[in-house]
Amino acid sequence: MIEQSQRRVPMPVAAASVILLVAAALAATTMFSKGPSMATGLIGVLLLLALAYGLWRGSGRARFWTTVFSTAGVLYGVVAITRADAFGLLQIVGASVLVGLLLVPASSRRWFDDLPAEE
């Protein structure tokens, strides 16, 4: 067996980080095309990038705030679904998947709790 000096990021956490990076890219394109305010959009993009980096590094705070913002996104998407647009449905599904990836798999929980991997 090969001994590793660094822990590897679990697949669910890597997927959650990629989802946040894609959301940041979508927010950036929206900000440049028709965003209400450049400063507000820039803050949102920087927040998404910081959360993705925090998840990648195993920060419990990043996990907490990503879960809070994603849950708020699901609730907002449910309220906004009355408009029946595809973006609202995509927001609900994406935020739900993000919360599930961070809270359900045991590898994700171990990553953020700093517990040693099971032998």
Side-chain angles (χ1 to χ4, degrees):
M1 182 176 296
I2 299 172
E3 292 295 324
Q4 295 182 1
S5 61
Q6 294 181 349
R7 297 186 319 160
R8 289 180 28 174
V9 179
M11 188 58 71
V13 176
S17 296
V18 168
I19 289 172
L20 286 176
L21 291 175
V22 169
L26 290 174
T29 57
T30 303
M31 175 182 65
F32 289 124
S33 65
K34 60 180 178 179
S37 168
M38 184 70 84
T40 306
L42 187 60
I43 290 170
V45 169
L46 290 175
L47 177 66
L48 287 169
L49 292 175
L51 288 174
Y53 179 74
L55 291 178
W56 191 264
R57 301 287 294 168
S59 170
R61 289 180 182 165
R63 177 185 181 202
F64 171 78
W65 285 111
T66 302
T67 304
V68 168
F69 291 139
S70 295
T71 303
V74 169
L75 295 176
Y76 177 76
V78 168
V79 170
I81 199 72
T82 58
R83 292 182 289 163
D85 62 344
F87 183 71
L89 184 60
L90 180 66
Q91 181 178 355
I92 292 170
V93 170
S96 300
V97 166
L98 195 58
V99 170
L101 286 172
L102 293 177
L103 298 180
V104 175
S107 61
S108 295
R109 293 191 308 265
R110 263 194 318 273
W111 178 252
F112 293 107
D113 291 335
D114 238 1
L115 298 175
E118 293 178 4
E119 298 289 329

